[in-house]
């Protein structure tokens, strides 16, 4: 699948043209079939480099989408094409692993997965609105590459979370193991549809290349499911707490839990996960004695996981550096006191 944004193609070939490498351009495209869009851009740029400046690249994508699928969805289709190649350009799908995106810092893994989900959902909606005679082409050019890459990114993020949650003792780790297996099967089914059902098998074998389970530059002999962990769960409820910025869980760690810092410039919102280490749901309470610390929920019931959002009321926050605490209580565990550091110059 295409992993090179046309912005990168333009940057490299414009550089070549500026240095008078303008008689013969040769491009290695690998498989022709899934590379229709970038090949066409490369050929158009080679034919008339002055026609497509860096400021016109979005126009090229939109005009291409309009020509292929009409004006109704051209802008949205162009957005999908630009974003899926951009997302693949920052990390190619075959180079992903469960630790590629951080699960604890900056909500990176969740943000990446959400970005992929957003464009895959948009592509699905447009596909349903396509006239029947355009659906095969849309599936090949837009929906399949977007959805296939979204699944693989989701798979690796899910496996990463499964391993971290299992180490924390979360009951939901087992659900994530099952979800990872389902995503692995969904990837296989999507490729099978492209090969055998789409256009009555016209493009059979085009999506045979393995892409999951790379350990070095060469493709693996077969797609291999990343290993997941399942943990035994007691019947009784037992509260666990995890905080943004750390892979640890409490009770159970000697060092005290603390959220990443809050400051008046960025006015961050941070999360605390209250989770179950057993099978029986339990009730929890959450709060702070510091009137400047806000918690999204003061109580609730946890079956598997519950996420609380912590923020600071900067009108009430102490001046300078300060520290308050959020206290979490729940079944089967001692209360957990989480530090909330703030900076309000």
């Amino acid at each position: 699948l295409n992993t090179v944004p046309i912005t990168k193609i333009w940057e490299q070939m414009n550089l070549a043209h500026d240095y008078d490498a303008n008689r013969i351009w040769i491009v290695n495209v690998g498989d022709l079939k899934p590379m229709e869009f970038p090949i066409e851009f490369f050929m158009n740029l080679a034919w008339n480099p002055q026609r497509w400046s860096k400021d016109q690249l979005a126009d090229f994508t939109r005009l291409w989408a309009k020509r292929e699928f009409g004006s109704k969805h051209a802008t949205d289709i162009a957005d999908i094409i630009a974003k899926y190649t951009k997302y693949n350009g920052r990390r190619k799908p075959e180079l992903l692993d469960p630790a590629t995106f951080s699960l604890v810092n900056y909500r990176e893994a969740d943000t990446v997965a959400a970005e992929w989900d957003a464009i895959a959902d948009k592509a699905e909606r447009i596909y349903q609105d396509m006239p029947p005679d355009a659906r095969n082409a849309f599936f090949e050019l837009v929906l399949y590459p977007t959805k296939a890459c979204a699944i693989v990114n989701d798979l690796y993020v899910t496996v990463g979370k499964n391993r971290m949650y299992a180490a924390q003792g979360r009951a939901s780790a087992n659900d994530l193991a099952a979800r990872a297996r389902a995503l692995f099967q969904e990837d296989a089914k999507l490729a099978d549809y492209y090969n055998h059902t789409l256009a009555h098998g016209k493009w059979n074998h085009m999506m045979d290349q393995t892409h999951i389970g790379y350990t070095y530059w060469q493709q693996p002999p077969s797609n291999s499911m990343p290993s997941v962990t399942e943990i035994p769960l007691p019947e009784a409820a037992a509260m666990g707490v995890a905080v943004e910025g750390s892979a640890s869980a409490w009770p159970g760690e000697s060092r005290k839990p603390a959220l990443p810092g809050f400051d008046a410039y960025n006015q961050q919102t941070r999360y605390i996960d209250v989770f179950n280490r057993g099978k029986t749901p339990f009730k929890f309470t959450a709060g702070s004695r510091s009137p400047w610390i806000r918690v999204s929920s003061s109580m609730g019931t946890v079956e598997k996981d519950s996420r609380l959002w912590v923020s600071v009321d900067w009108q009430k926050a102490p001046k300078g550096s300060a520290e308050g605490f959020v206290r979490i209580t729940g079944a089967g565990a001692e209360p957990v006191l989480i530090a909330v550091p703030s900076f309000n110059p």
Side-chain angles (χ1 to χ4, degrees):
L1 296 176
N2 183 24
T3 61
V4 182
I6 64 169
T7 47
K8 183 175 286 187
I9 298 172
W10 181 90
E11 188 269 340
Q12 288 292 295
M13 301 320 298
N14 182 70
L15 185 66
H17 185 262
D18 283 352
Y19 279 87
D20 292 329
N22 54 22
R23 292 183 60 208
I24 299 175
W25 284 2
I26 301 172
V27 60
N28 175 10
V29 297
D31 293 322
L32 289 166
K33 175 58 192 155
M35 303 296 173
E36 298 95 336
F37 174 70
I39 293 171
E40 181 170 344
F41 176 73
F42 180 92
M43 299 297 282
N44 275 267
L45 187 65
W47 183 257
N48 186 0
Q50 285 76 29
R51 170 67 178 87
W52 300 107
S53 70
K54 66 181 186 299
D55 299 317
Q56 294 172 303
L57 300 183
D59 292 337
F60 180 91
T61 309
R62 181 182 52 79
L63 291 170
W64 176 89
K66 181 179 179 181
R67 186 195 69 199
E68 295 297 330
F69 302 109
S71 58
K72 180 179 180 181
H73 296 295
T75 300
D76 284 337
I77 292 170
D79 181 65
I80 294 167
I81 293 289
K83 284 180 177 174
Y84 103 72
T85 52
K86 172 186 174 180
Y87 299 163
N88 277 341
R90 64 190 178 192
R91 181 56 67 95
K92 296 178 186 294
E94 68 271 21
L95 298 181
L96 293 168
D97 64 52
T100 298
F101 302 113
S102 177
L103 299 168
V104 297
N105 294 314
Y106 312 109
R107 300 172 209 162
E108 184 182 50
D110 287 341
T111 299
V112 167
E115 287 174 339
W116 276 110
D117 286 346
I119 60 171
D121 289 347
K122 184 188 286 188
E124 286 275 16
R125 290 194 300 270
I126 296 172
Y127 177 74
Q128 297 302 325
D129 197 41
M130 280 282 142
D133 63 352
R135 285 188 176 182
N136 282 354
F138 186 83
F139 183 89
E140 296 162 31
L141 295 168
V142 184
L143 180 58
Y144 179 83
T146 304
K147 190 172 181 180
C149 296
I151 289 170
V152 172
N153 275 265
D154 195 358
L155 169 65
Y156 280 112
V157 169
T158 300
V159 171
K161 284 185 175 181
N162 160 261
R163 295 176 185 179
M164 184 175 75
Y165 285 14
Q168 294 173 342
R170 297 198 196 199
S172 56
N174 296 342
D175 297 333
L176 289 171
R179 173 171 167 75
R181 294 189 186 98
L183 287 166
F184 186 75
Q185 292 301 318
E186 190 176 353
D187 170 84
K189 286 171 61 177
L190 193 64
D192 184 77
Y193 177 87
Y194 195 115
N195 284 335
H196 301 124
T197 305
L198 176 72
H200 307 292
K202 177 180 181 179
W203 301 111
N204 190 20
H205 301 300
M206 192 55 67
M207 291 301 151
D208 278 356
Q209 185 172 19
T210 53
H211 49 275
I212 300 175
Y214 275 66
T215 56
Y216 69 118
W217 71 268
Q218 182 59 280
Q219 67 189 51
S222 61
N223 289 322
S224 56
M225 168 73 194
S227 63
V228 293
T229 302
E230 292 183 289
I231 57 176
L233 297 174
E235 285 294 333
M239 181 188 76
V241 174
V243 300
E244 182 172 350
S246 174
S248 299
W250 291 266
E253 284 284 332
S254 57
R255 61 188 180 86
K256 302 299 183 183
L259 287 168
F262 295 76
D263 65 77
Y265 300 113
N266 295 292
Q267 302 195 8
Q268 299 91 336
T269 301
R270 308 291 193 187
Y271 65 80
I272 298 171
D273 284 344
V274 183
F275 60 85
N276 201 343
R277 287 170 163 164
K279 295 180 180 179
T280 305
F282 67 89
K283 296 184 183 300
F284 75 90
T285 63
S288 176
R289 292 182 178 178
S290 302
W292 50 274
I293 296 176
R294 297 185 293 206
V295 184
S296 59
S297 297
S298 60
M299 63 182 66
T301 301
V302 175
E303 182 178 351
K304 298 282 181 71
D305 296 273
S306 182
R307 177 158 289 185
L308 308 178
W309 295 99
V310 179
S311 59
V312 170
D313 183 339
W314 294 105
Q315 299 300 316
K316 299 178 181 177
K319 293 299 180 182
S321 296
E323 184 177 73
F325 295 89
V326 172
R327 187 173 189 266
I328 311 286
T329 63
E334 61 191 46
V336 176
L337 209 60
I338 302 154
V340 180
S342 72
F343 181 55
N344 186 26

